Amino acid sequence: MDNNDIEMECSPSEVPDVSEVLQLIHRPMQRGEHWYLVDKKWFDECKQYLNDHQQVHNPGPIDNSALFQTLENRVLRERLQEEVDYQFVPEEGWHLLMKEFGIVEESHVIRRAVIEQGTYSVYCMVEIYPIELKLSLYGSKEDVILKTYSRVITLTQLESEMKTLFNIDDVKDTQLWANGSILKAHNDSLSPSSSNDNTNDNQTLNDAGLMSGTVVTLEVRNPDGTWPSSRPRYGAIATRSSKCIPGLCGLMNLGNTCFMNSALQCLSNTQPLTEFLLSDQYWNDINTDNPLGMRGEIAKSYADLIKAMWSGSHTCLAPREFKLSVGRFAPQFSGFSQQDCQELMAFLLDGLHEDLNRVRQKPYIEIKTDVDLRPDAVVAAESWENYKKRNDSIIVDTFHALLKSTLVCPDCNLVSVTFDPFCYLSLPLPVKRERPIDVVFVPVLQPNVLNDNNNKTDETQEQLKAIQMSRLMIPKYGTIADICNAVAKTINDSQVLKHTIDSERLIVTDVYNHRFHKLFSREESYSGQLDEVIVYETLENSSSIAVYLREVKADETTALFGRPFIISINDSNYETLYEAVTQQLRRFMKIPLSEEESDSDEGVAECERTDRFALTFVNSYGSLNIERLERTKPFELSNKTFIAVDLPTRMKNKYYNEAEVENPYKLPPLKSTTNTTKSSLPLSECISQFTTTERLGSDDPWYCPKCKKHQMASKKFDLWTLPKVLIIHLKRFSYSRVFRDKLDILVDFPLHSLDMGEYLLNNPNNESLLYDLTAVANHYGGLGGGHYTAYAKNIHTGSWHYFDDSNVSSASEDNVVSKAAYVLFYQRRE
């Protein structure tokens, strides 16, 4: 689209109603709709323009360049984040924006479907990244077709398309496989036990849990009515042996099910629960009428698996029936995508509790409001008694205990105390969190350089036109001020400049595709994804003007090139502005700066001798002309001003030196004076951190019943009682709108005699309460994948063993404590 098509003034009556646009954007999503992704910076400029109608804020045509990996392939960048990188816009809102602003190219349209997620609480979300499947025909390993699909298409649609792709007659019977298990069975191939279930005809790829990289196989029925797979669908036993030790039974990986196998091995070696199931006591407790339960199916399926694992008859089992049972009640575990081991544990323990809840009719419990007037011991005993009136099971007996939660209002000092049951402790890892970034620092041209009548630049300043800093360490979750402080300290410590850098006069920018994708304020949080971080130094008591470089082509259209820059100006004078721009250009361009220089070049055209380049007020994207600057016409400059330096193609090709821009001075890495990274972390420090008072954030306020408003109260957890089996979840994974990470630090936890008595608030005599480790779930690798295993101590051998899916091996105690430890199981010593 030609930029000239949109460089027209918009009258207020033609501008869409901003309230209407915002209402559309914030309305609830509905399954089956399509929403559009819009670059967040463009959208913010659009909102500003709709509010003030100033042309500097006119974003021009919709430009999603910053959301793509490259401008050529139009593939979305990985791990884009809502309201950081992009904004969702519903279809009707998209059409409003398109009508008003247009779009740079049709390839910038990013249209995505709305899908449903969740188990008990269903919610809608936009599918950002379609999934790429590997499609194959059963029995053929050579022909694999890579295809990208939306998660909203059904298995029936996928099956039909695969028939077409592999030239299979549409009347032939087929079924789908994924990762060793049937994904969509043919109607008459269902086993009697599954006859009441549907055939997954209408199940979507999202419901089936398929993820990018999954191999989906199409199996065609033989002419004699048999299937080429010719194997039992579920519950196949891998190996049998009459010499097996009970409990030392591997579990086959059914396709990214290592997370499930790891959880099952830890729970299997939790003796109070396993003995309860092996003794068949659970039959008396099965509750098929509990609306919160799974009709007893989870309890029965899990008990059957435990009995097989502890029968001493198998060295390995395929837990297909158990996985199917879980998938029927928790769709997030129904497919073959990698899931979180701790989340499966939490679901399984909750499911077992409800399936084995001895309470058939849960009574209504009235919560008393005078808790602040009674002793903690009284309130805690009442809270536990009320909880047991509605929740009474082997899971509660074994894993549940009480936490004391204290909230204090910062205004009225109201203290709110509650006692809440817990099934496991999720402990934070209190380590200093930093991450490295690469930064280009551009020093300001000093006043003596700007006023040099001979146009000679200071030698050191000329040499250090830009400074590259690799792996500058900044906080993972910080503000732009943290980047400014780190840059200033690094530059000042290196003494590469003759002057001292003031962090208050630094501007941090994110540059992409020759434009300022973002100019940050010091208070802003920075995104997990930054393109090219460039930090500019500015002069004191001056305006900071953003400047773009634009090539003016023969047809008078313009195109950005090079790296934009920032200049410092003290007054709105054309000569001062022009000279400041000229001095900046001299850092990487060899353009003639005086008529004498121009006259010495016989090839220079008359126009180049008399007006070397033009200056134009533009919008923040550099895509929309606002006004051409002239010597005789007054103008105002501010920190919100954007200017384009317009160079004819001939001048750009002749004088622009890209190497001067792309080859900055590289600052040698500085030696760290202190070691901020711990080699290990004691478990006691994690427990202490859990019980430390913290202030609630603005995104998670507490409603004070006395002040009648939400407050950022102080919150503190204390352990009031402890269970027979204590599950400790180490919070290695961090998820936020800004950053995602995994902490691989070694947590040093004891295998024997963990004394939890010192952390127990309800322990007036400071008695010891000793726990011994029985199992550990491990996670290796990073986010979105990796591999799960388990260590567990077998009750029959008294020794530790390592469980890696189907493989079981002896393990030394020395190997149990590792950086991979994720979930710990401790049993109280009686």
Side-chain angles (χ1 to χ4, degrees):
M1 178 178 293
D2 193 326
N3 286 342
N4 294 328
D5 292 341
I6 49 87
E7 292 182 2
M8 58 182 69
E9 293 292 331
C10 298
S11 64
S13 62
E14 294 173 342
V15 178
D17 182 5
V18 65
S19 61
E20 179 185 356
V21 174
L22 291 178
Q23 287 173 1
L24 291 173
I25 287 168
H26 294 292
R27 74 164 177 79
M29 296 176 176
Q30 301 293 330
R31 180 173 181 171
E33 291 181 336
H34 285 85
W35 286 54
Y36 292 76
L37 273 67
V38 177
D39 174 65
K40 185 62 165 61
K41 178 181 182 295
W42 186 95
F43 185 76
D44 288 343
E45 286 293 313
C46 174
K47 287 197 299 184
Q48 184 73 18
Y49 174 62
L50 292 174
N51 277 318
D52 59 27
H53 302 164
Q54 294 183 14
Q55 285 298 312
V56 68
H57 294 137
N58 188 329
I62 298 172
D63 188 336
N64 284 331
S65 301
L67 303 183
F68 300 116
Q69 292 180 9
T70 67
L71 296 180
E72 290 76 28
N73 62 19
R74 304 303 189 201
V75 175
L76 289 185
R77 294 163 57 193
E78 296 181 358
R79 295 196 295 178
L80 293 174
Q81 299 175 55
E82 181 186 0
E83 295 187 5
V84 173
D85 302 298
Y86 62 84
Q87 173 71 50
F88 285 132
V89 177
E91 192 140 19
E92 58 270 35
W94 171 261
H95 291 314
L96 273 175
L97 296 178
M98 281 287 289
K99 180 180 179 181
E100 179 62 33
F101 300 103
I103 193 167
V104 292
E105 293 180 16
E106 286 300 317
S107 58
H108 281 236
V109 177
I110 307 174
R111 184 174 185 259
R112 293 293 187 265
V114 176
I115 59 177
E116 281 187 347
Q117 292 282 71
T119 307
Y120 302 109
S121 178
V122 177
Y123 62 95
C124 288
M125 62 175 288
V126 173
E127 173 190 41
I128 304 299
Y129 300 98
I131 57 176
E132 185 180 66
L133 301 178
K134 298 178 180 178
L135 309 178
S136 65
L137 198 60
Y138 195 93
S140 175
K141 297 182 179 179
E142 292 77 19
D143 297 328
V144 176
I145 300 176
L146 296 179
K147 290 279 289 183
T148 300
Y149 294 99
S150 168
R151 290 171 177 80
V152 299
I153 76 163
T154 64
L155 294 180
T156 297
Q157 291 172 316
L158 176 61
E159 185 179 30
S160 177
E161 179 164 342
M162 289 182 69
K163 283 186 175 183
T164 302
L165 291 173
F166 292 107
N167 298 316
I168 304 300
D169 194 323
D170 192 55
V171 299
K172 288 191 175 180
D173 296 336
T174 57
Q175 55 189 18
L176 297 180
W177 289 76
N179 297 314
S181 293
I182 287 183
L183 185 65
K184 177 184 180 297
H186 186 66
N187 285 344
D188 61 7
S189 67
L190 292 175
S191 63
S193 63
S194 302
S195 59
N196 292 328
D197 297 329
N198 61 43
T199 58
N200 292 343
D201 285 357
N202 296 318
Q203 190 178 41
T204 65
L205 303 189
N206 181 64
D207 296 334
L210 296 184
M211 62 184 296
S212 287
T214 300
V215 178
V216 179
T217 303
L218 180 70
E219 183 182 20
V220 184
R221 192 199 288 263
N222 294 325
D224 62 1
T226 62
W227 293 94
S229 53
S230 64
R231 55 176 286 185
R233 284 182 60 216
Y234 308 118
I237 296 173
T239 56
R240 287 180 176 271
S241 173
S242 58
K243 299 180 181 179
C244 299
I245 297 176
L248 298 186
C249 177
L251 297 172
M252 288 179 61
N253 192 318
L254 307 177
N256 287 322
T257 56
C258 58
F259 74 95
M260 181 182 75
N261 295 343
S262 173
L264 289 173
Q265 294 292 3
C266 290
L267 288 170
S268 168
N269 285 277
T270 302
Q271 287 308 307
L273 177 59
T274 295
E275 290 175 358
F276 179 80
L277 298 174
L278 294 179
S279 64
D280 281 340
Q281 297 179 62
Y282 71 96
W283 282 108
N284 296 325
D285 294 345
I286 287 181
N287 189 339
T288 59
D289 299 322
N290 187 351
L292 299 179
M294 287 78 173
R295 303 190 298 271
E297 184 175 338
I298 290 294
K300 294 174 185 176
S301 180
Y302 179 70
D304 289 344
L305 179 61
I306 290 297
K307 289 178 180 179
M309 293 174 68
W310 287 84
S311 66
S313 301
H314 313 294
T315 59
C316 183
L317 292 170
R320 288 194 177 92
E321 286 96 345
F322 175 77
K323 183 179 183 303
L324 285 171
S325 297
V326 170
R328 273 192 281 272
F329 297 98
Q332 68 268 34
F333 301 124
S334 65
F336 301 97
S337 58
Q338 182 69 282
Q339 301 289 341
D340 187 275
C341 170
Q342 188 270 334
E343 290 181 3
L344 178 71
M345 287 181 187
F347 165 79
L348 180 55
L349 289 173
D350 184 64
L352 289 173
H353 161 63
E354 298 295 355
D355 271 5
L356 299 174
N357 197 342
R358 302 173 186 119
V359 178
R360 271 24 184 193
Q361 295 291 331
K362 294 187 177 183
Y364 170 76
I365 304 294
E366 183 177 356
I367 304 299
K368 295 183 178 179
T369 58
D370 60 340
V371 292
D372 56 331
L373 305 177
R374 296 181 292 160
D376 281 354
V378 175
V379 178
E382 182 182 89
S383 298
W384 184 250
E385 181 183 357
N386 288 339
Y387 182 69
K388 286 294 295 286
K389 288 178 181 177
R390 295 173 58 87
N391 303 275
D392 183 16
S393 70
I394 182 63
I395 303 301
V396 173
D397 297 342
T398 306
F399 300 98
H400 289 201
L402 275 183
L403 280 177
K404 178 186 177 183
S405 176
T406 305
L407 287 161
V408 181
C409 178
D411 287 353
C412 69
N413 293 321
L414 173 69
V415 178
S416 172
V417 175
T418 58
F419 291 87
D420 305 305
F422 71 92
C423 185
Y424 53 87
L425 293 180
S426 288
L427 303 185
L429 304 189
V431 297
K432 187 172 182 178
R433 302 186 178 190
E434 292 184 323
R435 66 173 172 124
I437 61 170
D438 294 337
V439 172
V440 172
F441 172 69
V442 181
V444 71
L445 280 171
Q446 296 300 304
N448 66 312
V449 178
L450 291 173
N451 296 329
D452 189 346
N453 294 327
N454 295 323
N455 295 314
K456 293 181 181 178
T457 309
D458 178 87
E459 182 179 354
T460 302
Q461 191 73 49
E462 174 68 17
Q463 177 190 9
L464 301 182
K465 58 180 69 72
I467 302 172
Q468 173 75 52
M469 289 178 283
S470 298
R471 299 188 64 79
L472 181 73
M473 301 306 295
I474 61 173
K476 286 183 178 177
Y477 311 103
T479 64
I480 294 301
D482 294 315
I483 297 181
C484 295
N485 294 334
V487 169
K489 184 178 187 307
T490 302
I491 296 295
N492 292 335
D493 289 348
S494 67
Q495 297 183 342
V496 295
L497 295 178
K498 291 184 177 181
H499 65 282
T500 301
I501 302 299
D502 182 355
S503 68
E504 295 286 338
R505 296 207 299 269
L506 299 184
I507 297 179
V508 179
T509 71
D510 188 15
V511 174
Y512 181 80
N513 194 25
H514 313 299
R515 66 164 54 100
F516 289 115
H517 179 59
K518 182 79 173 179
L519 284 90
F520 295 96
S521 65
R522 291 178 60 86
E523 298 77 22
E524 282 188 81
S525 299
Y526 39 78
S527 166
Q529 293 190 87
L530 296 173
D531 293 298
E532 184 179 9
V533 179
I534 305 181
V535 179
Y536 296 88
E537 183 187 14
T538 63
L539 292 175
E540 191 174 8
N541 299 323
S542 62
S543 297
S544 301
I545 311 301
V547 182
Y548 287 125
L549 298 176
R550 293 199 308 187
E551 175 187 358
V552 181
K553 300 179 181 179
D555 60 0
E556 297 188 356
T557 60
T558 61
L560 296 177
F561 73 93
R563 178 186 291 160
F565 55 86
I566 291 177
I567 57 173
S568 296
I569 296 295
N570 293 320
D571 57 63
S572 299
N573 178 278
Y574 183 89
E575 297 297 338
T576 302
L577 173 63
Y578 197 93
E579 186 63 21
V581 171
T582 298
Q583 293 290 349
Q584 286 288 346
L585 293 177
R586 287 271 288 180
R587 294 175 123 174
F588 50 86
M589 297 181 74
K590 302 300 181 182
I591 61 174
L593 297 184
S594 67
E595 292 187 12
E596 289 77 10
E597 289 182 72
S598 299
D599 291 339
S600 66
D601 188 347
E602 297 179 358
V604 175
E606 178 64 23
C607 65
E608 293 181 30
R609 288 198 294 267
T610 58
D611 187 359
R612 296 178 298 271
F613 53 82
L615 297 178
T616 307
F617 284 125
V618 294
N619 66 342
S620 62
Y621 264 64
S623 61
L624 188 68
N625 291 347
I626 297 176
E627 184 182 7
R628 178 66 60 87
L629 277 77
E630 299 177 6
R631 277 187 171 87
T632 59
K633 189 174 181 179
F635 55 84
E636 293 293 330
L637 297 176
S638 71
N639 290 335
K640 296 181 180 180
T641 300
F642 289 80
I643 292 176
V645 176
D646 290 330
L647 290 168
T649 299
R650 181 177 179 277
M651 287 191 67
K652 181 251 185 182
N653 293 340
K654 183 173 183 178
Y655 297 117
Y656 177 65
N657 187 347
E658 185 175 2
E660 292 289 330
V661 182
E662 301 301 331
N663 188 29
Y665 173 79
K666 292 179 173 56
L667 189 68
L670 299 178
K671 293 184 179 180
S672 177
T673 55
T674 58
N675 183 12
T676 59
T677 303
K678 295 183 178 181
S679 59
S680 64
L681 185 70
L683 180 64
S684 58
E685 196 169 327
C686 301
I687 301 174
S688 297
Q689 180 73 17
F690 177 78
T691 58
T692 299
T693 302
E694 63 178 2
R695 178 64 60 91
L696 295 177
S698 57
D699 58 340
D700 184 30
W702 170 68
Y703 183 80
C704 176
K706 187 174 181 181
C707 296
K708 305 297 183 183
K709 64 179 180 179
H710 287 89
Q711 300 278 23
M712 289 185 286
S714 62
K715 184 175 184 178
K716 188 178 190 302
F717 285 126
D718 289 293
L719 298 174
W720 187 258
T721 59
L722 288 167
K724 293 180 181 177
V725 174
L726 175 63
I727 302 176
I728 295 178
H729 166 224
L730 303 177
K731 297 175 68 174
R732 293 194 179 276
F733 298 104
S734 300
Y735 301 94
S736 75
R737 200 176 275 278
V738 176
F739 205 75
R740 303 177 182 185
D741 191 26
K742 181 195 174 186
L743 295 173
D744 281 319
I745 190 171
L746 174 66
V747 177
D748 191 4
F749 50 90
L751 275 68
H752 310 283
S753 304
L754 169 64
D755 191 353
M756 292 296 296
E758 60 181 292
Y759 306 106
L760 200 61
L761 189 63
N762 183 28
N763 189 11
N765 298 323
N766 294 320
E767 297 178 357
S768 293
L769 199 61
L770 302 181
Y771 283 81
D772 297 314
L773 190 71
T774 59
V776 178
N778 305 303
H779 180 270
Y780 301 91
L783 290 169
H787 183 59
Y788 287 94
T789 65
Y791 285 108
K793 190 173 185 179
N794 184 272
I795 192 172
H796 294 291
T797 66
S799 302
W800 285 91
H801 298 270
Y802 186 62
F803 298 85
D804 185 357
D805 288 332
S806 57
N807 298 315
V808 181
S809 58
S810 298
S812 169
E813 280 194 354
D814 298 335
N815 297 328
V816 174
V817 180
S818 74
K819 292 182 178 180
Y822 182 43
V823 185
L824 315 177
F825 281 69
Y826 280 97
Q827 185 164 331
R828 189 170 63 204
R829 193 182 297 174
E830 300 297 342

